[in-house]
Amino acid sequence: MTITHTVPVSGGRLHCEIRGAGPLLILTGAPMGAAALTSLAAALAHDHTVVTHDPRGIGRSILDDPHTDSTPDLRAADLVAVLDTLGTESADVFGTSGGAVTGLAVATLYPDRVRTLVAHEPPLLELLPDAAERRAAVDAMIDTFRRDGLAAAWAAFMDFAGFEDAGDAGPDAQPAGPPPGESPEQDLADGARFFAHEIRGTTRYLPDLAALAAAPARLVVGIGAESRGLETYATSVALAEALALAPKEFPGGHAGFMEQPEKFAAVLRETLTRP
């Protein structure tokens, strides 16, 4: 059974879904919403209370002003609002892609609210040696969106992120944008929001490495077994090295949680229960 909640957050309302019973686990993505994580949530609900949600301004999570940007810090505050609504002090957090950046912001700003954070392939371009060049490429992507539209922007994104060259690239392996949501019209709106109000803040986030190292939360950096060649593989390796951690390998590629949800859930479950 899935229970839905609407959680008040700063400047809007967050759509959340809750499944299962057991220790609380939040699955968070960005820009992907609850729909992308449904299969993984179902696989974990046998022994966890699993919370999924649509990030602010995406899908069924509505903002009072849809033109406001989505930043990791704002999304971190949203997750804390979810915990407060549920009357829970802390949770394990699995964040993937931009959601992994959200999780890092939670562990930094609200360190007592996270038990274990699994940050799966965060696109932390600022950790790379050619960060200025990557920053300019993201700005060019946004310009392409504004000038040529969403399809051209996604094409530029796929090329930049390395999906076309990655070993697991393909229509079923690497989504060209947020996975299908409530309707094609909503998918277009979510994609437009990603380029106009989210991608810059997410990719320019620079984690506070000292704060993360000092935080009580256990931190795991996850990398897809088939992600070599992706930008997020390089950024994940950079984060793991900066924190002196050995990265944890997960099945599949960047979207392994959708490609192989049962196998992915098994590795995540083991990661959460074993130090």
Side-chain angles (χ1 to χ4, degrees), residues 222-243:
I223 301 182
E226 300 173 22
S227 288
R228 190 176 295 273
L230 297 180
E231 285 287 304
T232 49
Y233 187 93
T235 56
S236 299
V237 168
L239 176 63
E241 290 179 348
L243 293 171

Side-chain angles (χ1 to χ4, degrees), residues 22 33-35 37 62-63 77 86 96 111 131 138 168 178 184-185 208 228 231 241 261-262 266:
L37 293 157
I62 308 301
L63 292 177
L86 297 178
T96 183
V138 170
D168 59 346
E185 293 77 14
D208 186 333
R228 190 176 295 273
E231 285 287 304
E241 290 179 348
E262 293 290 342

